[in-house]
Amino acid sequence: MESLINLNRVNEFITNNTHLDENGNKIHTPVNYRWSHGATDLHLGDGLMIYSFIQFIRAKVCVCIGSGGGFIPRIMTQARYDLWEQKIFEGNPQNEWGDTGTTIIVDAVNGVGGNTDWTEENSFLRYNFQPQIILETSEKVFYDYFVRQDIKIDYLHIDGDHSYEGVKKDFELYSTIMSENGLITIHDTDKNYHNTLVVAEGAKKDFVPFEGPAKFVNELKNNSEWDLVNLKNFRNFTSKVTSTGIVLLGRKIKNE
C-alpha cells in the first residue's frame, strides 16, 4: 500500500528547506520551530490538521500572524494549490495572483519569541511558495491593510505575540473580519507542555514564556460567539516530538 501523503514533497519542501551543495547533493535543513508543531522530516504534526481545515472549508484567504520558519504558511499555500489540482478551485493556479486565493504572513520581525529566516526575497519559503509578506505589527496591519481594503479572512492562524495581552488583542481584532464560515486556530495552547519545557541555561536570557495562549483560551471557553476545540497530543508518545497545542475556533450555530 502507498502512502496517501507525498512524503518526498513533505520532506523536501514542507518540513525542510532543501538546497544543493557544491557537488549537487541535496541538503535538508529542518524548518525552524517545526518541532513546536510536532513535525519531523516525514510527519506534518498539527500541520496536517491545518491542511485539512483549509481543504474542508475551501479557504482562499489564509492569514498567519507570526511565523518563525514559515511552516504554517507553506502548508496554507500547499492546501490551496491542491484544491486547484483536485478541481475544487478553478481558473489560474498562480500562487498569489491567480484564482486560488492568497497566503498572507503578518510579522513584526522584532525578534520577540524567536527570529525569522524568510524575510529575504530569495529565501526558500518566498522563492517556492510566494506568500504575501507584511512586516508590521498585527494591530497596525489590521487597521491599515485589512480594514482599509475590506478584506475578509477564511482561515486565520494566530502565532505571533505569545503574551496574554497580545493573543487576546489579535483574536479580538481579527475575529471581526472573518468570513461567515471562517476558522481560527491559536498555537502554543498546551499549558502542561509550556510548564514542563526545559530551557538551557545559556538560552534563558532570551527565552520568552508562551503561557499567554493557554491563559486566553481558558477564557474563550465561555465565549458566546465561538465554539472551541482544544487539541493536544503532548506525551501521547513520550519518545516522539509532539505539538505545543492548538485550539480550533468556529462560529457557534445560531438558532433560527
Side-chain angles (χ1 to χ4, degrees), residues 116-135:
T116 59
D117 64 355
W118 44 259
T119 54
E120 299 296 325
E121 287 191 24
N122 64 347
S123 67
F124 184 87
L125 172 68
R126 296 181 67 172
Y127 180 81
N128 288 284
F129 293 89
Q130 296 95 45
Q132 293 194 58
I133 306 292
I134 305 179
L135 304 179

Side-chain angles (χ1 to χ4, degrees), residues 33-105:
Y33 308 107
R34 75 178 191 185
W35 58 267
S36 69
H37 295 278
T40 65
D41 284 345
L42 302 177
H43 184 63
L44 290 170
D46 61 37
L48 182 58
M49 292 190 295
I50 290 172
Y51 176 92
S52 299
F53 297 150
I54 294 169
Q55 283 259 313
F56 181 72
I57 65 171
R58 298 168 183 185
K60 283 196 170 182
V61 179
C62 299
V63 177
C64 186
I65 300 178
S67 185
F71 179 68
I72 295 303
R74 61 187 79 190
I75 287 178
M76 289 175 165
T77 298
Q78 188 69 56
R80 293 188 297 101
Y81 177 78
D82 289 353
L83 283 164
W84 180 83
E85 285 279 9
Q86 296 153 357
K87 303 189 184 304
I88 299 298
F89 288 166
E90 298 178 347
N92 180 358
Q94 188 175 349
N95 277 352
E96 298 309 320
W97 310 111
D99 300 307
T100 62
T102 186
T103 297
I104 303 171
I105 307 177

Side-chain angles (χ1 to χ4, degrees), residues 213-252:
K215 181 179 178 181
F216 177 61
V217 162
N218 191 52
E219 290 183 5
L220 279 177
K221 292 177 181 178
N222 300 317
N223 189 280
S224 61
E225 185 178 354
W226 294 87
D227 279 321
L228 179 153
V229 180
N230 199 341
L231 300 163
K232 49 191 174 182
N233 65 353
F234 178 47
R235 287 184 171 159
N236 281 3
F237 292 88
T238 56
S239 63
K240 302 294 182 180
V241 64
T242 57
S243 171
T244 54
I246 192 167
V247 160
L248 172 67
L249 295 151
R251 281 197 178 89
K252 291 181 182 291

